[in-house]
C-alpha cells in the first residue's frame, strides 16, 4: 500500500535512484509489515534550485545537493519503535550501497486509513470488513 | 478543495492526460460531494525509471508502464461507500475514454481538515464557523 | 520539519521561485512556530497542461497560468488562527515581492505526528519523550 515519493537531484546516477528505491522497499518489508511486492514509488528529478535545504544546516545536520527527500504515505498503525527502525534501515542501506551521506537522507511519513487505497481495477482492496 | 496529483509516463498522449484529469473531476462532483469548478490538479510526467511498480504484480493485479498514480488530498468525512464508488467511477471513465487498463489506475486518498485550505487571496475560505 | 511542495509554471522566472520559497519559510518562522533553518522544500516546474484549475474560477476567485500550488506537510497542532495568519503572510509576501496575483496563490496543509520525521542520519529527531 505505501506510496513513496522520492525527490532528488536530476544528475543523480540511475544506479543511485535504483538503490534508493530498493532500500525503501526493503525497509518496508523488513520492519514495517508491508507485504512483499507492495512497491509503488514515484521519483522526480530536480534542477539545483528545486530542492531547497538550509545552507546553515538544521539540528546539527548539514546538507548537500545530494539531499534525497523521501515522503511515504501509508496506512496508520506503525509504532514509534517501528518507525525508528524504518528510518535507520533506509539510511543505512542507501549509505552503504550508494555512498550517499546519511545526513542527506530525509524522510517524512503520512498516515491514512485502510479505505483510502485502490491498487487498480477501481476496487478498494483493503476495505475494512 | 481537493488537490489531485497525477503521475504518469512522460510519453502518455496529451489526450490521455486530459481524460484522466476530467475523470477525477467528474467522479468528485458525481459521488464525493465536491462543488462544481473545484478542480485543482498537478500533473507530473515521468521517465521510465521514475514510476516504480512490482513486476510480479500485487494482490493478483498486474501493472504496465501505463500505470497512472493518482493521489488526492481533500477534506475528511467521505464514507467508505462513497470512496468505493469514487474509485470505481475514476477507473471506469479512464478505461472507457482513454483505453487504459483498469489495473493501471492506482489511487490514494489523504484526509485533511477544513481549515487546511486556502484557494487564493491568502484567505481560509472553508474556515469552520 | 515542514516539507513544502511548490508546483508552478515551467517558465516562471527563477527570482519568482526564490521569492515563493522565502515567503513560505518566513511565514513558518514568523507565525507558525517553525524553528529557524527548518527549511525543506521541493519545487516542480510544469508544462501548461500540467497545472489544472477551473477556467470559470471557484468561490469568486479567478486563476491564471501563474497559479502556484503550495502543499505543506508538517506536525499537527497549529490553531485555526495561526493557519489563517500563515496563509495571509505567504500570499502577501509573494504578491509584494514577485507581483503574482494573490488569487494565484493556492495553499493546502497536511498534518502528521512528531514521530513521522527523520531529518537525516536515519534518526527520529523529534521522537516523543
Amino acid at each position: 500500500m505505501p506510496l513513496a515519493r522520492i525527490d532528488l537531484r536530476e544528475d543523480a546516477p540511475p544506479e543511485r535512484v535504483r538503490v534508493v528505491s530498493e532500500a525503501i522497499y526493503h525497509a518496508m518489508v523488513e520492519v514495517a509489515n508491508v507485504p512483499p511486492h507492495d512497491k509503488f514509488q514515484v521519483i522526480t528529478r530536480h534542477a539545483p534550485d528545486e530542492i531547497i535545504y538550509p545552507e546553515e544546516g538544521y539540528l546539527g545536520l548539514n546538507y548537500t545537493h545530494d539531499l534525497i527527500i523521501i515522503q511515504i504515505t501509508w496506512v496508520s498503525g506503525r509504532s514509534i519503535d517501528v518507525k525508528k527502525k524504518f528510518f535507520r534501515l533506509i539510511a543505512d542501506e542507501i549509505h552503504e550501497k550508494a555512498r550517499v551521506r546519511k545526513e542527506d537522507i530525509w524522510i517524512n511519513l503520512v498516515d491514512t486509513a485502510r479505505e483510502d487505497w485502490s491498487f487498480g481495477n477501481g476496487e478498494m482492496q483493503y476495505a475494512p470488513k
Side-chain angles (χ1 to χ4, degrees), chain A:
Chain A
M1 108 224 60
L3 175 64
R5 292 192 182 276
I6 302 163
D7 293 87
L8 78 181
R9 59 188 294 175
E10 63 192 349
D11 54 357
E15 172 62 12
R16 180 185 303 175
V17 175
R18 209 193 52 77
V19 165
V20 172
S21 163
E22 288 295 308
I24 294 168
Y25 172 64
H26 291 156
M28 283 178 177
V29 173
E30 194 164 331
V31 300
N33 205 27
V34 170
H37 310 316
D38 184 349
K39 183 185 178 189
F40 298 91
Q41 304 175 335
V42 173
I43 292 149
T44 308
R45 292 171 161 98
H46 291 275
D49 73 341
E50 292 184 343
I51 294 191
I52 311 291
Y53 54 86
E55 310 253 329
E56 312 84 348
Y58 182 59
L59 302 174
L61 299 158
N62 287 289
Y63 305 96
T64 75
H65 285 298
D66 282 331
L67 183 61
I68 301 169
I69 300 280
I70 299 167
Q71 188 172 42
I72 295 165
T73 308
W74 60 9
V75 170
S76 64
R78 273 95 187 176
S79 69
I80 292 180
D81 238 47
V82 162
K83 290 178 178 179
K84 279 186 184 173
K85 285 180 194 148
F86 182 65
F87 291 153
R88 187 162 307 278
L89 275 185
I90 292 175
D92 283 353
E93 184 168 328
I94 295 175
H95 174 64
E96 188 190 323
K97 297 195 178 162
R99 312 312 307 165
V100 173
R101 300 164 63 249
K102 286 194 195 180
E103 294 178 82
D104 279 327
I105 301 162
W106 200 101
I107 310 168
N108 165 235
L109 309 174
V110 176
D111 278 351
T112 64
R114 294 184 66 79
E115 61 262 31
D116 289 327
W117 300 82
S118 173
F119 295 90
N121 271 344
E123 292 165 8
M124 184 189 284
Q125 284 86 359
Y126 284 180
K129 305 291 183 310

